[in-house]
Amino acid sequence: MAALVARRTLEATVATPAEIPFDAVLAGQTPMLFKGLVRDWPLVQAGLQSGQAARDHIRAHDQGGRVVGYSGESSINGRFFYDDSCTAMNFKAERAPLETFLQRLEAVEDSNDAPSVYVGSADLDAYFPSLKAANDLGLGGEVFGPEPPMAGIWIGNRTVAAAHWDMSNNIAVCAAGRRRFTLFPPDQVANLYPGPLEPTPGGQVVSLVDFENPDFDRHPGFREALESAQVAEMEPGDVLVYPALWWHQVEALEPFNVLMNYWWNATPAFIDTPMTTLLHGLLSLRDRPDFEKQGWKALFDYYVFGPAERAGSHLPEAARGPLGPMDDLKARRLRAYLLDRLNR
């Protein structure tokens, strides 16, 4: 896949994570790769010694909780995806102690025909708080806003997470092994041929395009997507930052790999997820006549996508209600009103 993408993600150098230019990444919609930024992390140093040393470092911080892991036959070539019907997966998921999965990885580490195994997005605060404390970016509210980030760890062998998007901004840290991110801006959604809303391999809609063997007859728009694509090749200690809603395929390239990541949105907790709005839009807008949809598009531009203050600026402040700045109380009232309307 990397050979099909000419553009490489912008690389930059900073001395500490606090110096990452987050505004330039997010507002500028410009993913950035910071080479070797956390190479001094104890986990990174252990991984540079060996996969075994990295696993032992993680074991030392394991509290014994049961994490969710995924496994697939060697025939899937590490690509956790659908079966041919797109109604079921080509892998199985199970909850078990981390040690179960580490032992499976150890058993096949030297195999050329290994089954695919990974632990996906285990919550660091819930399962490995001391591991997070020992290997952390040292960032706080000045970056993440009022809500702390969701910090996760991904542990596995050679695997492929099919291209998908997340609702949050992401800081991805290659802690052991190597990773390759192939990134696309949000406006390439149609050219990536999203799969079903459900089921999904990992909770998010994924691209149906096989990046290693793209079928341009079946997915002709993927050629256009490739023109906007960029690739970030990550080594131990590298940090990649990219904005919410960017599509990304993630390949783990070594027999043992560890990624730590931080998802965040600098918005208050009372702000609902836009995905709920999109799903309700399928119910209420998509199948209306085109002339109606164009009218609703103008209303959405006025009330939602235009300047936040525009729709209420001509009203007395006491009369603005949800048209004024949103807060927790207004959000609760609006949510109650919506629930009443939905349950009519």
Side-chain angles (χ1 to χ4, degrees):
M1 177 62 201
L4 296 176
V5 181
R7 183 183 304 173
R8 294 298 180 261
T9 297
L10 179 65
E11 295 184 12
T13 301
V14 295
T16 68
E19 297 175 27
I20 293 173
F22 289 101
D23 287 345
V25 173
L26 303 184
Q29 292 290 290
T30 306
M32 290 189 186
L33 178 62
F34 302 90
K35 301 292 290 183
L37 181 57
V38 297
R39 194 176 174 86
D40 60 342
W41 274 13
L43 177 54
V44 173
Q45 288 298 307
L48 289 171
Q49 296 177 39
S50 66
Q52 185 63 52
R55 287 189 292 273
D56 289 344
H57 180 80
I58 295 170
R59 281 187 171 106
H61 297 277
D62 182 15
Q63 294 189 327
R66 296 168 66 85
V67 297
V68 177
Y70 307 86
S71 58
E73 301 295 333
S74 59
S75 58
I76 73 172
N77 294 318
R79 187 176 183 232
F80 288 83
F81 198 64
Y82 293 100
D83 65 8
D84 291 339
S85 72
C86 280
T87 61
M89 303 300 119
N90 66 356
F91 60 91
K92 66 177 183 179
E94 61 184 305
R95 186 176 291 275
L98 176 67
E99 184 61 27
T100 299
F101 300 108
L102 292 181
Q103 289 182 10
R104 289 181 190 174
L105 288 165
E106 288 172 346
V108 301
E109 188 168 13
D110 297 324
S111 172
N112 292 323
D113 191 31
S116 301
V117 179
Y118 88 99
V119 173
S121 192
D123 189 327
L124 282 166
D125 290 306
Y127 295 100
F128 310 101
S130 62
L131 178 67
K132 180 185 175 186
N135 304 272
D136 196 28
L137 295 173
L139 301 173
E142 73 284 353
V143 172
F144 301 127
E147 301 297 325
M150 166 63 184
I153 188 168
W154 309 71
I155 304 169
N157 55 4
R158 291 186 176 95
T159 59
V160 179
H164 61 284
W165 55 269
D166 298 312
M167 288 183 283
S168 301
N169 307 305
N170 198 357
I171 304 173
V173 180
C174 184
R178 294 183 298 120
R179 298 264 171 170
R180 175 183 298 126
F181 277 69
T182 306
L183 300 147
F184 302 83
D187 63 7
Q188 290 304 308
V189 53
N191 293 320
L192 291 169
Y193 300 88
L197 292 174
E198 58 177 359
T200 64
Q204 290 291 78
V205 171
V206 302
S207 169
L208 295 183
V209 180
D210 182 349
F211 284 16
E212 284 302 310
N213 298 286
D215 184 341
F216 292 112
D217 291 328
R218 188 176 182 184
H219 304 127
F222 188 58
R223 291 188 187 277
E224 183 177 339
L226 288 172
E227 296 175 3
S228 300
Q230 55 182 271
V231 169
E233 300 281 0
M234 299 186 71
E235 298 175 339
D238 290 354
V239 175
L240 174 66
V241 185
Y242 57 92
L245 305 180
W246 273 67
W247 290 78
H248 50 287
Q249 174 163 292
V250 188
E251 301 167 70
L253 303 174
E254 297 291 343
F256 184 73
N257 306 271
V258 180
L259 181 88
M260 293 172 64
N261 80 302
Y262 303 76
W263 282 308
W264 89 100
N265 295 96
T267 53
F270 59 75
I271 300 294
D272 279 0
T273 166
M275 191 64 192
T276 303
T277 307
L278 191 152
L279 293 174
H280 192 240
L282 294 178
L283 178 65
S284 63
L285 289 170
R286 185 195 59 191
D287 295 331
R288 291 182 178 274
D290 186 64
F291 68 87
E292 286 190 25
K293 288 197 289 187
Q294 293 305 312
W296 280 106
K297 182 178 183 297
L299 289 173
F300 268 74
D301 286 342
Y302 178 73
Y303 283 106
V304 178
F305 295 111
E309 69 281 357
R310 179 173 61 183
S313 61
H314 60 284
L315 298 172
E317 186 172 350
R320 292 175 185 174
L323 297 180
M326 192 64 65
D327 57 28
D328 184 68
L329 179 59
K330 289 179 182 177
R332 288 175 182 272
R333 288 174 174 170
L334 186 55
R335 194 174 294 112
Y337 174 78
L338 288 171
L339 287 172
D340 181 66
R341 298 283 292 176
L342 288 170
N343 290 325
R344 61 197 171 103

